[in-house]
Amino acid sequence: MSATASSATSALTTRGFLLDMDGTLVNSDASVERNWRVWAIEHGLDPEEVLKVAHGRQAHATMALLLPDRPMELNHADNRVMLANETADTEGVVPIPGARDFLTALATLPHALVTSADAALTDSRMAAAGLAVPKIRVTAERVTTSKPDPEGFLLGAAELGLAPENCVVLEDSEAGIAAGRAAGMRVVGVGPRAAALSPDAHVADLTRLRVEALPTGEILLHVGAHD
């Protein structure tokens, strides 16, 4: 996979895409923050500090990071409650600008969704945002280890029939970007959280991306300049 650049745009050459959901295709921050604030207060933690690490991981992994001495069975129990609450809480869940058009452009190209949400939460948020769920998806139930572990991205690449180095990851969070890198993939960061994490390229939203299928079977991802 190669990259070319000009003063305004760059282009990544790839054969497939692995897409995160929250913060990348769907803006679910309002729901995430509401539910994590409740959990933080219940456990005597500063909600603002909790929110700094809550994005990108499965909830039980975030809980283990915040409360390292807590038994994991309690984290998994809280994780189930969190998933149910977030699945029901779709107020303010909207698409990231450009998400619908970008998914439409990928319709005939190799791509998969790789998310820390479970299947029910994925369906709920994608529906609330008015987005179609990709046919190939790796949700929380299908992995044994949460991001920043690369397991989910490696599974997504395998299901596309692609080598990791032939995939580009779209991600917004520190955990997700770390997972993509650990998988040996290039990462395009999306949105404000990703800006400070030194992804291979960064865009404010998905309106800044364009795909071009090549006769070779490769795909050019044109990455527009960002603010």
Side-chain angles (χ1 to χ4, degrees), residues 6-64:
S6 69
S7 60
T9 62
S10 63
L12 301 180
T13 305
T14 185
R15 289 186 177 273
F17 297 92
L18 300 173
L19 313 172
D20 175 50
M21 181 178 70
D22 294 302
T24 302
L25 297 174
V26 173
N27 182 345
S28 57
D29 283 1
S31 175
V32 170
E33 292 181 6
R34 279 193 296 271
N35 285 281
W36 275 104
R37 285 182 187 279
V38 170
W39 184 89
I41 292 168
E42 287 176 348
H43 292 84
L45 300 174
D46 180 350
E48 298 308 319
E49 293 302 312
V50 169
L51 289 173
K52 289 179 181 179
V53 296
H55 296 280
R57 297 177 177 84
Q58 292 185 40
H60 64 77
T62 298
M63 294 166 187

Side-chain angles (χ1 to χ4, degrees), residues 5-157:
S6 69
S7 60
T9 62
S10 63
L12 301 180
T13 305
T14 185
R15 289 186 177 273
F17 297 92
L18 300 173
L19 313 172
D20 175 50
M21 181 178 70
D22 294 302
T24 302
L25 297 174
V26 173
N27 182 345
S28 57
D29 283 1
S31 175
V32 170
E33 292 181 6
R34 279 193 296 271
N35 285 281
W36 275 104
R37 285 182 187 279
V38 170
W39 184 89
I41 292 168
E42 287 176 348
H43 292 84
L45 300 174
D46 180 350
E48 298 308 319
E49 293 302 312
V50 169
L51 289 173
K52 289 179 181 179
V53 296
H55 296 280
R57 297 177 177 84
Q58 292 185 40
H60 64 77
T62 298
M63 294 166 187
L65 182 68
L66 292 164
L67 299 172
D69 297 326
R70 189 180 194 229
M72 277 305 297
E73 58 264 28
L74 297 181
N75 294 335
H76 283 288
D78 280 3
N79 185 91
R80 290 190 289 272
V81 173
M82 180 77 73
L83 284 171
N85 290 341
E86 289 188 328
T87 299
D89 180 8
T90 58
E91 183 179 353
V93 174
V94 297
I96 295 293
R100 189 172 293 110
D101 288 343
F102 188 69
L103 285 172
T104 298
L106 293 185
T108 61
L109 302 175
H111 69 287
L113 186 71
V114 181
T115 175
S116 294
D118 68 359
L121 181 56
T122 298
D123 289 340
S124 173
R125 286 186 172 161
M126 292 290 279
L131 300 176
V133 179
K135 291 180 180 179
I136 297 176
R137 61 177 180 174
V138 178
T139 56
E141 302 96 330
R142 302 194 58 210
V143 298
T144 59
T145 310
S146 173
K147 299 172 186 178
D149 190 276
E151 181 184 1
F153 285 127
L154 292 173
L155 178 56

